[in-house]
């Protein structure tokens, strides 16, 4: 057993919270000794103030480089857990303070609103000028040039706009995108969509169990939801509240850490406590391409099918496919990606093909089709002479048929890759794991100390798998791929970069571009 002490013990503070700014150009980390802001693209620190009170910050949100809202927390908090402090980074001081009289679980910021998430209600504050604007001053020489001090006028959330009741929101679920606020409704599994600038509130039933994660696209047109089961992810159109897609992350229970849309709404990313980053394709093919593909398939089916459709071989093919081996997902390594890079071809799953929503299921069994009055769909075509092709065709037909279980028909991720979870101890925030007490008989007894909970995470687990896509570059398209950032907190704070790129042989693959421990010194002096 190695009992030697480290020559240079680590004095890095624990990361209690992580959040991206609304533009995703910055992210903020709430630490055990304050907070720091970083650039998203290269993970370099941009702001590290000295707070008036030393201590930890358990909730933090940033509006790019100007405004920051935070709440104290941790073992030595920098403030009360029911007080939100609004900080102006340009002035370098606190400009507003709000007492909510109950623990604050989360904060969201935009250019006009501040949303404070409590356990069973959410408060919306509207920005106002915190001091009168100075009138433009004219110089004494009469040149007529004016100088305005508008930029120096501090602004902050100084007016309560509204208060909205929610179900028990222990995970601080809230999405603020422009003037749209998305919150859990008062009924289990429902979501309420609130236009803050005026309009009627809408309610959407997303899941039967409690919600665990929410995400809204940059343009405010799509909503992604995940429940506490962690197996299915559903995507809804916010214009008409229709479900446009449903993806299966896995078959066993998982805790969804984060969901995120790409800037062009082509990709949806997901992280969970399984330590895997998944990417889902949201873009359907062009309708014209579907028509040509269907015609080609029907033409091929007419030449490949036997002339007498009533033969037992055709009916047996449709009904006996369940006894055959199922088609496995085809994974191919991306060149130069390393051993941890995985990709999946969109054509490896029956009916997926990059379409939005579940694959079109062939319910097989119409009388017209059986007696040859119309050609069957391609999924019911009898297998070719090749054994491998026959098994693949039968497996695809079985997946698309009504006899297959739903778990086989669901659309899964097109690519996945592990991200860093770390091996955090229960007392990663610091402090002793055990303490000694005196028993009634006069003896000593060792007692395990309770794990300190965090706002939005009662179990005390550190923040992991916080997702953010890179902002869209000028001329950049989602069809060419995307860059994904994954943040991890706790005692092993880490910033990781992944890229979604076309894989060899078709489909898409993940590439791990590297990582940084963003609390350590990045460059050697």
């Amino acid at each position: 057993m190695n009992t030697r002490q480290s020559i240079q013990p680590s004095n890095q503070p624990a990361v209690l919270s992580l959040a991206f700014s609304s533009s995703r150009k910055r992210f903020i980390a709430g630490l055990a000794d304050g907070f720091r802001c970083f650039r998203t693209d290269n993970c370099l620190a941009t702001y590290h103030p000295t707070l008036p009170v030393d201590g930890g910050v358990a909730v933090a949100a940033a509006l790019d480089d100007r405004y920051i809202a935070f709440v104290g927390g941790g073992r030595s908090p920098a403030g009360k857990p029911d007080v939100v402090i609004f900080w102006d980074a340009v002035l370098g001081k606190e400009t507003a303070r709000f007492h909510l009289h109950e623990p604050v679980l989360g904060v969201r910021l935009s250019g006009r609103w501040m949303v404070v998430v409590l356990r069973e209600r959410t408060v919306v504050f509207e920005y106002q000028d915190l001091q009168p604007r100075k009138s433009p001053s004219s110089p004494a020489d009469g040149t007529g040039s004016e100088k305005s001090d508008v930029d120096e006028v501090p602004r902050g959330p100084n007016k309560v706009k509204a208060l909205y009741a929610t179900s028990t929101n222990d995970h601080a679920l809230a999405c603020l995108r422009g003037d749209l606020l998305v919150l859990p409704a008062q009924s289990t599994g429902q979501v309420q969509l609130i236009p803050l600038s005026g309009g009627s509130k809408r309610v959407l039933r997303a899941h039967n169990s409690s919600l665990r994660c929410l995400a809204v696209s940059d343009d405010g047109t799509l909503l992604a939801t995940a429940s506490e089961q962690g197996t299915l992810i559903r995507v809804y159109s916010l214009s008409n509240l229709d479900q446009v897609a449903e993806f299966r992350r896995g078959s066993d229970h998982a805790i969804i850490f984060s969901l995120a849309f790409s800037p062009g709404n082509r990709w949806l990313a997901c992280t969970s406590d399984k330590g895997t980053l998944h990417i889902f394709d949201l873009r359907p093919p062009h309708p014209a391409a579907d028509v040509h593909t269907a015609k080609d398939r029907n033409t091929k089916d007419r030449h490949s099918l036997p002339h007498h459709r009533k033969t037992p071989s055709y009916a047996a093919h449709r009904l006996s496919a369940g006894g055959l081996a199922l088609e496995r997902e085809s994974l191919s390594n991306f060149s130069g990606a390393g051993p941890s890079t995985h990709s999946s071809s969109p054509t490896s799953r029956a009916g997926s093909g990059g379409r939005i929503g579940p694959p079109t299921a062939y319910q097989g069994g119409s009388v017209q089709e059986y007696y040859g009055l119309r050609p069957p769909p391609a999924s019911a075509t009898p297998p070719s002479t090749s054994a491998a092709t026959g098994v693949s065709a039968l497996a695809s037909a079985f997946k698309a048929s009504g006899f297959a279980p739903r778990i086989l028909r669901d659309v899964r991720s097109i690519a996945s890759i592990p991200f860093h979870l770390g091996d955090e101890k229960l007392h990663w925030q610091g402090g002793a794991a055990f303490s000694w007490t005196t028993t009634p008989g006069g003896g000593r007894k060792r007692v395990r100390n309770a794990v300190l909970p965090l706002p939005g995470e009662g179990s005390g687990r550190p923040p992991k798998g916080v997702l953010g896509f890179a902002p869209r570059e000028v001329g950049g398209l989602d069809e060419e791929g995307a860059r994904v950032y994954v943040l991890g907190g706790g005692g092993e704070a880490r910033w990781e970069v992944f890229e979604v790129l076309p894989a060899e042989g078709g489909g898409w693959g993940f590439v791990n571009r590297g990582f940084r421990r963003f609390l350590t010194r990045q460059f050697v002096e």
Side-chain angles (χ1 to χ4, degrees):
M1 179 182 296
N2 185 5
T3 59
R4 294 176 297 176
Q5 298 294 326
S6 174
I7 298 177
Q8 186 177 359
S10 175
N11 56 359
Q12 299 176 15
V15 178
L16 306 180
S17 68
L18 287 166
F20 285 94
S21 64
S22 58
S23 66
R24 296 191 303 276
K25 295 181 179 179
R26 301 288 186 269
F27 72 89
I28 184 170
L31 311 175
D33 61 354
F35 65 85
R36 296 185 200 177
C37 297
F38 300 85
R39 289 184 53 160
T40 301
D41 56 352
N42 55 20
C43 196
L44 297 181
T46 61
Y47 188 57
H48 184 194
T50 300
L51 301 181
V53 179
D54 294 334
V57 172
V59 177
L63 184 59
D64 291 333
D65 292 325
R66 182 72 191 260
Y67 298 118
I68 297 166
F70 65 91
V71 180
R75 292 193 172 274
S76 299
K80 295 182 179 180
D82 59 349
V83 175
V84 179
I85 300 173
F86 194 77
W87 186 273
D88 193 322
V90 173
L91 302 179
K93 65 178 182 179
E94 170 190 330
T95 58
R97 180 183 290 252
F98 306 93
H99 294 263
L100 279 301
H101 304 290
E102 61 178 292
V104 176
L105 303 184
V107 178
R108 307 290 186 270
L109 291 181
S110 71
R112 185 179 176 185
W113 315 98
M114 180 179 78
V115 176
V116 180
V117 182
L118 308 177
R119 191 169 185 266
E120 293 181 347
R121 59 190 61 86
T122 298
V123 186
V124 179
F125 294 86
E126 187 174 2
Y127 283 54
Q128 287 184 327
D129 294 340
L130 300 181
Q131 68 185 32
R133 291 179 179 270
K134 297 180 181 180
S135 59
S137 58
S138 300
D141 57 3
T143 58
S145 61
E146 297 181 352
K147 180 180 179 181
S148 177
D149 294 327
V150 172
D151 291 340
E152 300 300 328
V153 176
R155 289 177 57 82
N158 196 38
K159 176 183 178 181
V160 177
K161 168 68 175 178
L163 186 148
Y164 299 99
T166 64
S167 59
T168 303
N169 193 6
D170 290 330
H171 303 297
L173 302 183
C175 293
L176 180 61
R177 189 67 64 188
D179 291 333
L180 175 65
L181 176 62
V182 180
L183 297 171
Q186 291 182 281
S187 299
T188 301
Q190 293 187 359
V191 181
Q192 53 182 327
L193 312 172
I194 305 167
L196 297 179
S197 296
S200 301
K201 179 179 73 173
R202 297 177 296 170
V203 178
L204 166 69
R205 172 171 288 280
H207 298 271
N208 293 326
S209 55
S210 300
L211 298 173
R212 186 60 176 82
C213 197
L214 298 173
V216 177
S217 60
D218 290 352
D219 56 2
T221 60
L222 296 177
L223 167 68
T225 65
S227 69
E228 290 184 342
Q229 297 297 324
T231 54
L232 295 177
I233 299 171
R234 291 173 178 150
V235 182
Y236 297 89
S237 172
L238 295 183
S239 60
N240 51 19
L241 301 188
D242 288 342
Q243 179 178 325
V244 296
E246 183 179 78
F247 303 109
R248 177 168 290 277
R249 181 215 55 82
S251 56
D252 54 345
H253 174 269
I255 299 175
I256 302 296
F257 287 152
S258 182
L259 295 170
F261 287 96
S262 64
N265 296 347
R266 171 67 189 272
W267 312 106
L268 174 65
C270 164
T271 55
S272 68
D273 62 344
K274 303 298 183 181
T276 306
L277 167 64
H278 293 269
I279 195 81
F280 304 93
D281 193 351
L282 290 167
R283 190 68 55 84
H286 194 275
D290 287 348
V291 173
H292 291 301
T293 303
K295 290 182 179 179
D296 294 341
R297 287 180 178 176
N298 290 336
T299 303
K300 182 179 179 181
D301 294 339
R302 293 190 187 99
H303 294 288
S304 60
L305 287 174
H307 294 287
H308 186 49
R309 302 272 181 87
K310 197 176 179 181
T311 57
S313 59
Y314 175 57
H317 160 68
R318 289 166 39 197
L319 299 177
S320 64
L324 299 177
L326 297 179
E327 179 187 17
R328 295 186 178 181
E329 300 177 358
S330 60
L331 300 175
S332 59
N333 289 334
F334 186 85
S335 60
S340 62
T341 303
H342 304 287
S343 66
S344 176
S345 172
T347 59
S348 63
R349 297 175 182 84
S352 62
R355 298 175 184 269
I356 286 184
T360 303
Y362 167 57
Q363 303 299 332
S366 66
V367 177
Q368 295 88 345
E369 178 186 314
Y370 185 85
Y371 284 97
L373 301 180
R374 67 179 182 185
S379 60
T381 302
S384 61
T385 55
S386 172
T389 305
V391 173
S392 177
L394 289 176
S396 300
F398 177 70
K399 284 184 178 182
S401 69
F403 299 101
R406 177 182 176 182
I407 193 172
L408 296 180
R409 292 184 280 117
D410 287 338
V411 181
R412 296 177 179 261
S413 61
I414 62 169
S416 63
I417 193 172
F419 68 93
H420 182 76
L421 269 182
D423 187 16
E424 304 286 355
K425 300 180 180 179
L426 291 178
H427 294 268
W428 58 272
Q429 301 181 40
F434 298 92
S435 60
W436 294 90
T437 184
T438 303
T439 63
R444 297 187 64 194
K445 182 180 179 181
R446 192 174 70 167
V447 179
R448 181 187 294 270
N449 293 332
V451 178
L452 191 64
L454 292 174
E457 185 53 71
S459 64
R461 285 189 295 262
K464 296 289 184 180
V466 180
L467 278 173
F469 277 88
R472 172 179 287 181
E473 300 179 357
V474 178
L477 298 175
D478 282 352
E479 284 72 12
E480 301 173 357
R483 172 167 287 195
V484 187
Y485 300 100
V486 181
L487 306 178
E492 301 179 11
R494 184 174 294 212
W495 167 91
E496 294 182 89
V497 184
F498 302 91
E499 283 192 0
V500 183
L501 296 173
E504 291 183 351
W508 298 87
F510 263 126
V511 179
N512 189 339
R513 292 302 188 191
F515 70 94
R516 280 183 176 175
R517 297 182 177 91
F518 56 83
L519 293 184
T520 60
R521 186 173 56 186
Q522 300 293 339
F523 301 101
V524 179
E525 297 178 356

